[in-house]
């Protein structure tokens, strides 16, 4: 029935519109269309007539009835969020006062009523045809709306219980089904609510949201607990794996400190520590994947897909650091506080790590040696012929080569943008040595970008442009060689990231030196050939080069060749065919044609005219 994906799609649209009132209007239109489709519209003149109840048989016959209830719940939720956002943004009014809060609670209660009605229908599984996943999704959705009601009532105990129930269910569903819609709901609505409710309940901030949810989960509901453990056995264990936490085997390896440049700070937040441990595990798995003999020859896209886990884990660490900083800002903690300084250093470190893995993924997509080595011009097509022929080598066209180079340039642009984003992190601009290191790395990828553009000019037969770009790329790589001269060689077992070794810079410099000599020679040969043609055309008379512009001026003493020399002149074959019967060539005897013979046989009158009957009038008829 896709309950969660339907909700996540609507929430995403509301975030894109940035206007809950527009979302409510859009949901009203969709609701009216769906009611007309299902035949559930109100009759004219009977606006206040009781509406027919939706039954489990209706749900079994058509799943659109599930969407009908979801649309009504989401419309009430959007109206409540519109009132809340408008009251919070209006500084002239008194904010969310008693009447406004009661109205918001009323709308949220109405939304939870529709969600509860849907849950009751889906609990009749045999009649409604619902699966265990459908029932759990409806249970989590209903709990999240009831938690929103308790949040507005400031009943923090029941709010934590409802949101914890929703989080545990979505967490278990995310682990079992591997879908992203559960993660979106957790990060956008549920986790911030749990964090604030835990703060109001005076729960330590160092405890992660997942642990808080598992501790406040209502275990008295045995049926729900059994369904969750059946779906994911470790969902209710505080050390169990989840979609946003690490496994139990790595719990002992949770880092307590983080280092950035020459500073080491303590990690006091459990969510940040768990996210860092997840990054370490993802890095180990990525290294193992790339070192496997079967994956060494894998395609760049397959290797880049292996970066997804570590990118997700790094993004979780960045989000955890940002949430921790936002929490201190809301508490009024200044930038000079020791806790704020430690979190800013942590934020810079995790953001740099995220940028590094993004750059590493793009480097893998560029190809061997970061795209410095050009792509092969032939590829094997293992298409078996009808007669059992072997695979053939087919030469790639210029269009495919240009498209491949265009993709590389796009990847290099993304890498350069990622490096530029590092300079905006806290504390980076004040570190002069680190800024110089970033600039050298940026220069390395600029040289690779110029090299790819130069190869595209080679394909379209413009060697002079290619030589200019290669020369510029060589100048950039020469600067890189001097800046990376003191860098130790990196071990080949580490996955590619933002780190560049001296060997890589040296290899690029040698490659560019060879290419510069090659294309300098090609340009010189082209210039010599052009000058030879110019000299040859300079001695020709003007009458033979009328189609060429005289760049060196017109010589009036060389207009024509006189006396003319015997030269072969091409003649069109059509002219010879037409003139064949009218030219007396030496050694050829003229033959008499049939028309001439008939003309000769006709008797001739005294006035020299033949007796052949003449045609009268136009077209042979008439007088």
């Amino acid at each position: 029935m896709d309950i969660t994906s339907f909700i996540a799609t609507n929430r995403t649209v509301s975030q894109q519109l940035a206007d809950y009132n527009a979302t409510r209007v859009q949901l009203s239109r969709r609701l009216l269309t769906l009611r007309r489709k299902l035949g559930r519209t109100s009759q004219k003149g009977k606006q206040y007539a009781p509406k027919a109840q939706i039954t489990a048989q209706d749900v079994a016959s058509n799943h659109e009835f599930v969407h009908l209830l979801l649309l009504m719940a989401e419309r009430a939720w959007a109206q409540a969020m519109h009132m809340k956002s408008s009251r919070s943004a209006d500084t002239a009014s008194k904010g969310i006062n008693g009447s406004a809060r009661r109205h918001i609670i009323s709308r949220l209660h109405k939304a939870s009523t529709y969600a509860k009605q849907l849950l009751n229908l889906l609990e009749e599984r045999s009649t409604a045809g619902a699966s265990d996943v459908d029932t759990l999704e409806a249970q989590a959705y209903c709990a999240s709306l009831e938690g929103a009601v308790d949040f507005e009532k400031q009943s923090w105990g029941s709010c934590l219980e409802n949101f914890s129930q929703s989080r545990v269910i979505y967490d278990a569903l995310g682990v079992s089904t591997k879908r992203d819609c559960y993660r979106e709901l957790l990060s956008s609505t549920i986790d911030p609510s749990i964090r604030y409710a835990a703060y109001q309940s005076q729960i330590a901030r160092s405890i992660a949201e997942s642990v808080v949810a598992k501790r406040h989960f209502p275990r008295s509901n045995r049926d729900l607990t059994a369904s969750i453990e059946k779906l994911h056995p470790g969902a209710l264990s505080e050390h169990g794996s989840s979609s946003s936490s690490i496994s139990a085997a790595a719990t002992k390896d949770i880092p307590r400190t983080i280092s950035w440049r020459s500073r080491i700070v303590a990690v006091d937040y459990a969510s940040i520590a768990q996210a860092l441990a997840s990054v370490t595990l993802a890095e180990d798995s990525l290294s193992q994947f790339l070192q496997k003999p079967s994956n060494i020859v894998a395609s760049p896209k397959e290797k880049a897909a292996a970066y997804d886990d570590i990118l997700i884990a790094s993004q979780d660490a960045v989000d955890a650091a940002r949430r921790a900083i936002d929490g201190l800002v809301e508490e009024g903690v200044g930038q000079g506080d020791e806790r704020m300084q430690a979190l800013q250093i942590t934020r810079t470190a995790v953001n740099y790590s995220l940028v590094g893995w993004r750059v590493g993924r793009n480097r893998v997509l560029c190809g061997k040696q970061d795209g410095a080595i050009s792509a092969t011009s032939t590829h094997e097509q293992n298409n078996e012929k009808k007669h059992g022929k072997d695979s053939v080598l087919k030469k790639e066209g210029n269009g495919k080569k240009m498209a491949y180079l265009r993709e590389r340039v796009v990847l290099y642009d993304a890498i350069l943008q990622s490096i530029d984003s590092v300079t905006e992190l806290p504390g980076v601009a004040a570190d002069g040595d680190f800024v110089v290191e970033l600039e050298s790395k940026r220069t390395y990828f600029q040289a690779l970008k110029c090299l790819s553009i130069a190869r595209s000019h080679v394909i379209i037969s413009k060697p002079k442009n290619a030589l200019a770009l290669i020369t510029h790329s060589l100048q950039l790589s020469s600067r890189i060689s001097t800046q990376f001269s003191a860098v130790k060689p990196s071990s080949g077992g580490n996955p590619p990231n933002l780190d560049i070794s001296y060997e890589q810079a040296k290899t690029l410099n040698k490659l560019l030196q060879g290419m510069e000599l090659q294309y300098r020679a090609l340009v010189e040969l082209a210039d010599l050939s052009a000058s030879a043609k110019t000299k040859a055309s300079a001695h020709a008379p003007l009458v033979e080069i009328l189609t060429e512009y005289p760049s060196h001026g017109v010589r009036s003493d060389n207009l024509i060749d006189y006396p003319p020399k015997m030269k072969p002149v091409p003649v069109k074959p059509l002219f010879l065919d037409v003139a064949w019967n009218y030219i007396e060539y030496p050694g050829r005897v003229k033959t008499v044609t049939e028309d001439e013979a008939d003309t000769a046989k006709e008797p001739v009158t005294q006035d020299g005219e033949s007796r052949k009957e003449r045609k009268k009038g136009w077209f042979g008829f008439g007088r």
Side-chain angles (χ1 to χ4, degrees):
M1 296 181 183
D2 295 334
I3 297 174
T4 306
S5 61
F6 185 84
I7 299 165
T9 303
N10 291 327
R11 300 285 175 90
T12 303
V13 170
S14 64
Q15 291 177 359
Q16 292 174 353
L17 294 175
D19 186 2
Y20 288 107
N21 190 37
T23 305
R24 182 187 64 82
V25 174
Q26 185 180 18
L27 291 173
S28 298
R29 294 197 192 102
R30 293 179 59 187
L31 186 59
L32 179 58
T33 303
L34 186 57
R35 280 175 174 169
R36 288 174 179 173
K37 181 179 178 181
L38 298 176
R40 293 280 177 153
T41 56
S42 301
Q43 298 180 0
K44 292 183 179 180
K46 296 183 179 181
Q47 184 177 2
Y48 300 102
K51 298 178 181 179
Q53 293 292 327
I54 300 175
T55 61
Q57 290 80 5
D58 296 333
V59 174
S61 62
N62 193 347
H63 289 172
E64 294 289 341
F65 285 99
V66 175
H67 296 168
L68 182 64
L69 291 172
L70 290 176
L71 285 174
M72 289 190 290
E74 284 296 296
R75 183 178 64 171
W77 175 84
Q79 185 178 2
M81 292 299 103
H82 168 64
M83 290 187 293
K84 186 176 180 179
S85 60
S86 60
R87 287 281 182 170
S88 300
D90 190 5
T91 57
S93 63
K94 298 180 180 179
I96 304 177
N97 52 18
S99 60
R101 187 174 299 277
R102 285 194 297 270
H103 196 182
I104 293 172
I105 293 173
S106 174
R107 294 295 91 192
L108 291 174
H109 178 72
K110 186 176 182 179
S112 64
T113 302
Y114 288 127
K116 187 66 175 178
Q117 182 181 353
L118 175 61
L119 177 60
N120 294 333
L121 292 175
L122 296 183
E123 284 180 348
E124 302 178 12
R125 300 182 183 179
S126 59
T127 307
S131 62
D132 294 340
V133 175
D134 296 333
T135 307
L136 287 175
E137 287 182 351
Q139 180 71 42
Y141 180 58
C142 181
S144 65
L145 292 177
E146 290 178 353
V149 174
D150 294 330
F151 189 93
E152 297 300 328
K153 291 181 178 180
Q154 299 183 358
S155 180
W156 307 118
S158 57
C159 176
L160 264 180
E161 183 177 342
N162 286 313
F163 276 119
S164 299
Q165 179 180 346
S166 180
R167 193 194 193 285
V168 169
I169 294 174
Y170 281 140
D171 208 351
L173 289 171
V175 172
S176 61
T177 59
K178 306 295 183 182
R179 297 174 63 182
D180 294 334
C181 57
Y182 305 111
R183 179 184 292 273
E184 293 175 3
L185 287 178
L186 287 177
S187 60
S188 62
T189 306
I190 297 175
D191 280 351
S193 302
I194 291 177
R195 195 179 311 113
Y196 188 80
Y199 170 75
Q200 293 292 340
S201 301
Q202 298 182 356
I203 297 175
R205 190 182 288 108
S206 58
I207 303 175
E209 292 85 1
S210 58
V211 178
V212 173
K214 291 173 183 178
R215 290 179 180 177
H216 291 80
F217 181 81
R219 300 178 186 269
S220 57
N221 192 343
R222 298 187 180 275
D223 295 337
L224 179 60
T225 303
S227 300
I228 294 174
E229 290 181 347
K230 180 182 177 182
L231 187 66
H232 178 53
L236 296 175
S237 175
E238 293 187 10
H239 301 292
S241 60
S242 65
S243 61
S244 58
S245 61
I246 61 174
S247 61
T251 305
K252 299 178 182 178
D253 300 331
I254 293 179
R256 299 301 177 188
T257 58
I258 186 172
S259 60
W260 168 248
R261 305 291 288 171
S262 59
R263 301 190 62 176
I264 300 176
V265 296
V267 181
D268 297 330
Y269 290 80
S271 57
I272 300 177
Q274 289 182 349
L276 293 175
S278 300
V279 172
T280 304
L281 287 177
E283 183 178 358
D284 295 340
S285 62
L286 178 61
S287 301
Q288 295 174 4
F289 176 82
L290 296 179
Q291 290 176 2
K292 286 183 180 179
S294 59
N295 294 328
I296 293 177
V297 295
S299 64
K301 290 184 178 180
E302 293 177 355
K303 293 180 180 179
Y307 277 78
D308 291 344
D309 293 338
I310 194 168
L311 287 174
I312 293 173
S314 300
Q315 186 63 52
D316 290 341
V318 171
D319 294 340
R322 177 180 54 80
R323 289 194 298 264
I325 293 175
D326 293 342
L328 290 182
V329 170
E330 291 178 358
E331 294 178 10
V333 178
Q335 295 294 331
D337 190 85
E338 184 178 356
R339 295 175 297 170
M340 182 65 75
Q341 291 290 329
L343 283 177
Q344 293 289 1
I345 294 173
T346 304
R347 176 191 174 190
T348 302
V350 296
N351 274 280
Y352 181 76
S353 176
L354 176 61
V355 170
W357 294 122
R358 286 177 180 170
V359 171
R361 182 179 180 274
N362 292 334
R363 290 176 68 181
V364 168
L365 287 172
C366 288
K368 191 175 181 180
Q369 294 186 9
D370 300 331
I373 299 178
S374 61
T376 178
S377 60
T378 59
H379 64 91
E380 291 187 0
Q381 290 184 341
N382 296 322
N383 298 326
E384 295 184 359
K385 304 294 183 178
K386 293 181 179 179
H387 302 288
K389 295 182 180 180
D390 297 333
S391 59
V392 292
L393 292 176
K394 183 179 179 181
K395 189 175 181 180
E396 290 183 353
N398 291 341
K400 288 186 177 180
K401 293 180 181 178
M402 292 292 290
Y404 184 71
L405 291 172
R406 195 178 297 112
E407 291 176 359
R408 278 189 179 178
V409 172
V410 172
L411 291 172
Y412 291 138
D413 286 335
I415 291 173
L416 294 175
Q417 290 178 3
S418 299
I419 295 175
D420 292 338
S421 66
V422 176
T423 58
E424 301 175 0
L425 296 176
V428 172
D431 193 344
D433 296 338
F434 186 59
V435 171
V436 172
E437 181 182 346
L438 284 177
E439 185 62 28
S440 62
K441 293 177 180 179
R442 193 179 191 280
T443 306
Y444 173 79
F445 291 107
Q446 277 183 332
L448 288 171
K449 179 182 176 182
C450 290
L451 178 58
S452 295
I453 299 175
R455 283 176 174 150
S456 66
H457 283 277
V458 172
I459 293 175
I460 59 178
S461 301
K462 292 184 178 179
K464 290 186 178 180
N465 296 347
L467 177 61
L469 288 166
I470 291 173
T471 303
H472 179 62
S473 181
L474 180 60
Q475 294 174 356
L476 294 175
S477 66
S478 300
R479 267 191 307 181
I480 297 170
S481 310
T482 57
Q483 291 171 356
F484 280 105
S485 59
V487 177
K488 296 181 180 179
S490 60
S491 59
N494 295 331
N497 51 14
L498 197 50
D499 296 333
I500 302 170
S501 64
Y502 173 68
E503 287 79 8
Q504 293 172 337
K506 188 176 181 180
T507 302
L508 177 62
N509 186 262
K510 287 184 177 180
L511 176 65
L512 291 172
Q513 287 177 358
M515 292 186 67
E516 187 194 25
L517 293 176
Q518 176 187 359
Y519 286 98
R520 192 176 293 278
L522 291 174
V523 170
E524 187 67 23
L525 289 174
D527 292 342
L528 291 175
S529 177
S531 62
K533 290 181 180 179
T534 304
K535 291 179 180 178
S537 62
H539 297 291
L542 181 62
V543 70
E544 295 181 3
I545 56 174
L546 292 176
T547 58
E548 299 180 8
Y549 179 77
S551 58
H552 300 287
V554 179
R555 295 181 56 184
S556 58
D557 59 344
N558 191 16
L559 300 179
I560 59 173
D561 280 338
Y562 187 84
K565 301 177 182 178
M566 184 68 69
K567 296 181 181 180
V569 178
V571 182
K572 295 181 180 180
L574 182 62
F575 174 76
L576 294 176
D577 294 340
V578 172
W580 174 258
N581 296 326
Y582 302 95
I583 299 176
E584 294 182 1
Y585 295 97
R588 174 178 175 268
V589 180
K590 185 176 181 181
T591 59
V592 181
T593 61
E594 295 180 358
D595 295 339
E596 293 177 353
D598 294 341
T599 306
K601 291 179 182 180
E602 291 181 357
V604 181
T605 59
Q606 294 180 359
D607 54 358
E609 295 182 357
S610 63
R611 294 181 177 179
K612 189 175 180 181
E613 185 179 358
R614 297 181 179 178
K615 296 180 180 180
K616 298 179 180 180
W618 292 352
F619 307 110
F621 56 86
R623 295 180 294 175

